[in-house]
Amino acid sequence: MLTELEEKLDGLEWEQARVAAAEYVGLPGPLPAPALRRAMVEDRYCLVLLAFRGNLPRLKELVTHPDNRAYELPEDSAPAATTANRSTAGLVIEAGKALNRWAGAGFRTVDQETYERRTAACAGCPELIEPPVRWVYKVALATAGDDRVCGACGCVASRKARLATERCPRRDPARPELSRWDEPFAD
């Protein structure tokens, strides 16, 4: 890893290092574990991350790049079990509740800046996964651009992030009073 970033992470626990690395390059959520591992061993990848500091669209591409999968460990995909174990009926019920909240609020969506902040946080979250093979996702993703889902709640992340009535289900590891979307955490 390049000295510049290495100095920022020196002495930190793993989760703290993920948060600090993300802050250093300008991502709103913790750097995905595989991306940080890759940056630790590939100087070129680390240089590219640093070169695109503050450029959220480009950073999202870098931290979710398929080549990062080579740096995954079994514990990185552990949250996937949460979504994988949800029943289809349970997912449909939760989607219906979200739709009801959204309709009750007049179908309000968030502004573009909030949407970008939320989706960048999701992109940097270790719980963002490929959707399980289920009919409910085939229907929900028929027109989705980014079809990855939240392993914590089962929602299509890019769609949930657009709705003003929805909240991230996980706390920010660095600031427990906030969600990973950098909004007040609601239980």
Side-chain angles (χ1 to χ4, degrees):
M1 183 185 303
L2 294 171
T3 308
E4 183 179 354
L5 186 55
E6 209 166 20
E7 289 173 359
K8 295 282 184 196
L9 306 182
D10 187 40
L12 298 178
E13 297 290 327
W14 180 247
E15 290 303 315
Q16 294 171 323
R18 291 180 53 218
V19 170
E23 287 173 357
Y24 189 65
V25 297
L27 282 173
L31 195 66
L36 182 54
R37 285 190 205 100
R38 185 176 178 193
M40 292 169 68
V41 289
E42 286 186 27
D43 283 347
R44 182 177 177 173
Y45 180 75
C46 188
L47 270 171
V48 173
L49 278 176
L50 295 174
F52 287 103
R53 273 188 282 196
N55 183 338
L56 284 178
R58 189 67 177 119
L59 286 170
K60 277 174 58 173
E61 290 176 30
L62 289 168
V63 301
T64 61
H65 196 278
D67 289 351
N68 294 351
R69 289 190 183 127
Y71 297 89
E72 288 179 351
L73 295 178
E75 60 266 23
D76 295 336
S77 59
T82 306
T83 296
N85 293 336
R86 290 182 189 270
S87 70
T88 299
L91 290 168
V92 170
I93 289 168
E94 290 305 313
K97 289 178 184 177
L99 182 60
N100 191 41
R101 283 189 301 271
W102 187 44
F107 298 102
R108 288 185 309 116
T109 57
V110 297
D111 58 74
Q112 190 63 26
E113 182 181 330
T114 301
Y115 178 71
E116 288 172 7
R117 176 179 38 81
R118 286 177 168 190
T119 56
C122 290
C125 182
E127 297 201 51
L128 187 66
I129 61 170
E130 294 300 319
V133 179
R134 293 220 178 120
W135 70 264
V136 69
Y137 286 115
K138 290 182 190 285
V139 172
L141 299 171
T143 60
D146 184 352
D147 64 353
R148 293 173 296 171
V149 300
C150 175
C153 66
C155 293
V156 178
S158 63
R159 293 205 174 157
K160 180 175 185 166
R162 177 83 57 203
L163 306 181
T165 53
E166 294 304 299
R167 303 285 173 253
C168 175
R170 292 292 187 242
R171 292 183 187 277
D172 183 326
R175 296 168 298 168
E177 72 280 5
L178 298 176
S179 72
R180 290 184 175 170
W181 282 353
D182 200 29
E183 297 170 354
F185 188 79
D187 289 316

